[in-house]
Amino acid sequence: MDLKKLPRHVAVIMDGNGRWAKQKGENRIFGHRNGVQSVRDVAEACAELGVEYLTVYAFSTENWSRPQLEVSALMTLLLKTMGGELKTLLKNDIRLSAIGDIDALPKSVAAELHDTIAKTAHCKRMQLTLALSYSGKSELINAFKKIANEVKLGNISTDQITEELIAANLQTAAMPDPELLIRTSGEHRISNFLLWQLAYSEFYFTEVMWPEFNKEELYKALLDYQNRERRFGKTSEQLSPQ
Ligand code: IPE
Ligand code: IPE
Ligand code: MG
């Protein structure tokens, strides 16, 4: 691994908890519980290597449509995990952050989240962002509304609506865009994750189910990323002239 060629920001669509559990004859919640260890492993590995931002898709706005029992089990798991992980986050110097409609979460979950975010705010090694009740389209709609309001108030003109202004009005304003997106479980779609921010990311898909994704699997993804040529519209010859 070339540590000088690491992505600064890795985004992950953690998928396959339910199918993994079903294969084992267990219920879906068992899969979610086992998925927590994968988050720990990946966060630790990223911090150790020097990745600065790790953003994980933990719950989409669409996931609210799952059976009530599964939704409440996920919320309980989230609540318990956050409380238990504070020590580890502090020890590893990892700052917690969140994107999504946090107000839509149960009050206890939102409170625990705000508490952990505040207690880790000084941590410097890496930022771990949880996407919770997150929708890429909603994030864009909210940004457009804020900008439209500024135009209406006469604070900016429409000519001032640029890429930078839109990015600055997203919840990810303080982060670089992810250079690498990982999705597990063999599904090849974005599922309403970071739509704007993934415009030029490298995508890495693996058949591995999220509960089985570990440090080794992360290294594979990073190595694969390092072997890609990111051309940004240019030709290969322009990037490495003879
Ligand atoms: C990902 O695993 C976790 C969440 C979306 C909360 P799934 O729960 O989507 O598992 P599968 O895709 O049904 O196997
Ligand atoms: C995407 O996974 C959301 C999260 C990983 C939290 P899903 O399993 O909900 O996505 P779809 O429905 O298969 O696209
Ligand atoms: Mg899924």
Coordinates of all heavy atoms in Angstrom, one line a residue, residues 32 56 60 63 73 91-93 119-120 129 136 144 173 179-180 192 214 222 227 242:
H32 N -27.5 -7.1 11.8 CA -27.2 -5.7 12.1 C -26.2 -5.7 13.3 O -25.3 -4.9 13.3 CB -28.4 -4.9 12.4 CG -29.4 -4.8 11.3 ND1 -29.0 -4.4 10.0 CD2 -30.7 -4.9 11.2 CE1 -30.0 -4.4 9.2 NE2 -31.1 -4.7 9.9
V56 N -20.1 6.6 6.8 CA -20.8 5.4 6.6 C -22.3 5.6 6.6 O -22.9 6.3 7.3 CB -20.4 4.3 7.7 CG1 -19.0 4.0 7.6 CG2 -20.8 4.8 9.1
S60 N -31.0 5.0 5.8 CA -31.5 6.0 4.7 C -32.9 6.4 5.1 O -33.6 5.8 5.9 CB -31.5 5.3 3.4 OG -32.5 4.3 3.3
N63 N -35.2 3.7 4.5 CA -35.2 2.6 5.5 C -36.3 2.7 6.6 O -36.7 1.8 7.2 CB -33.9 2.5 6.2 CG -32.7 1.9 5.3 OD1 -31.6 2.3 5.5 ND2 -33.1 1.1 4.4
A73 N -35.4 -1.9 16.3 CA -34.3 -2.6 16.8 C -33.0 -1.9 16.3 O -32.0 -1.8 17.0 CB -34.3 -4.0 16.2
K91 N -10.1 7.1 22.7 CA -8.8 6.5 22.6 C -8.1 6.6 21.3 O -6.9 6.8 21.2 CB -8.9 5.0 23.1 CG -7.6 4.3 23.4 CD -7.8 2.8 23.6 CE -7.9 2.1 22.2 NZ -8.4 0.7 22.2
N92 N -8.9 6.4 20.2 CA -8.4 6.4 18.8 C -8.3 7.8 18.3 O -8.0 8.0 17.1 CB -9.2 5.5 17.9 CG -8.9 4.0 18.2 OD1 -7.8 3.6 18.4 ND2 -10.0 3.2 18.3
D93 N -8.7 8.8 19.1 CA -8.7 10.2 18.6 C -9.6 10.5 17.4 O -9.3 11.1 16.5 CB -7.3 10.6 18.3 CG -7.0 12.1 18.4 OD1 -7.9 12.8 18.9 OD2 -6.0 12.6 17.8
K119 N -18.6 15.4 22.8 CA -17.5 14.9 23.6 C -16.3 14.5 22.8 O -15.2 14.3 23.3 CB -18.0 13.7 24.4 CG -18.8 14.1 25.7 CD -19.3 12.9 26.5 CE -20.0 13.4 27.7 NZ -21.1 12.5 28.1
T120 N -16.5 14.3 21.5 CA -15.3 13.9 20.6 C -14.9 15.1 19.7 O -14.0 14.9 18.8 CB -15.7 12.7 19.8 OG1 -16.8 13.0 18.9 CG2 -16.0 11.4 20.6
T129 N -18.2 9.9 10.1 CA -19.6 10.5 9.9 C -20.6 9.4 9.7 O -20.4 8.6 8.8 CB -19.6 11.5 8.7 OG1 -18.6 12.5 9.0 CG2 -20.9 12.2 8.6
G136 N -29.7 11.7 -0.2 CA -28.9 12.7 -1.0 C -29.8 13.7 -1.7 O -29.5 14.9 -1.7
F144 N -30.7 23.9 -2.0 CA -31.3 24.8 -3.0 C -32.3 25.7 -2.3 O -32.4 26.9 -2.7 CB -32.1 23.9 -4.1 CG -31.2 23.0 -4.9 CD1 -31.7 21.9 -5.5 CD2 -29.8 23.3 -5.0 CE1 -30.8 21.0 -6.2 CE2 -29.0 22.4 -5.7 CZ -29.5 21.3 -6.3
A173 N -20.3 20.2 3.9 CA -19.5 21.4 3.5 C -18.1 21.4 4.0 O -17.2 21.8 3.3 CB -20.3 22.7 4.0
E179 N -13.0 10.2 -2.4 CA -12.3 9.7 -3.5 C -12.7 8.3 -3.8 O -12.6 7.8 -4.9 CB -10.8 9.8 -3.3 CG -10.2 11.1 -3.2 CD -10.1 11.6 -1.7 OE1 -10.9 11.1 -0.9 OE2 -9.3 12.5 -1.5
L180 N -13.2 7.6 -2.8 CA -13.5 6.2 -2.9 C -14.9 5.9 -2.2 O -15.1 6.3 -1.1 CB -12.4 5.4 -2.2 CG -12.7 3.8 -2.1 CD1 -12.8 3.2 -3.5 CD2 -11.6 3.2 -1.3
N192 N -29.5 6.6 -3.2 CA -29.7 7.9 -2.6 C -28.6 8.4 -1.6 O -28.9 9.2 -0.7 CB -31.1 8.0 -2.0 CG -31.7 9.4 -2.0 OD1 -31.1 10.3 -2.5 ND2 -32.9 9.5 -1.4
N214 N -13.9 -6.7 6.8 CA -13.0 -6.4 7.9 C -11.8 -5.6 7.4 O -11.8 -5.1 6.3 CB -12.5 -7.7 8.5 CG -12.0 -8.7 7.5 OD1 -11.6 -8.3 6.4 ND2 -12.0 -10.0 7.8
L222 N -8.6 -0.4 -0.9 CA -7.7 0.7 -1.0 C -6.6 0.4 -2.1 O -6.3 1.2 -2.9 CB -7.0 1.0 0.3 CG -8.0 1.6 1.4 CD1 -7.3 1.6 2.8 CD2 -8.5 2.9 1.0
N227 N -4.7 1.4 -7.8 CA -4.3 1.0 -9.1 C -5.2 1.7 -10.2 O -5.1 1.3 -11.4 CB -4.4 -0.5 -9.3 CG -3.2 -1.2 -8.5 OD1 -2.1 -0.7 -8.6 ND2 -3.5 -2.2 -7.8
Q242 N 5.3 11.1 -21.7 CA 6.6 10.4 -21.8 C 7.8 11.3 -21.7 O 7.9 12.3 -22.3 CB 6.6 9.6 -23.1 CG 5.7 8.4 -23.1 CD 5.8 7.5 -21.9 OE1 6.8 7.0 -21.6 NE2 4.7 7.3 -21.1

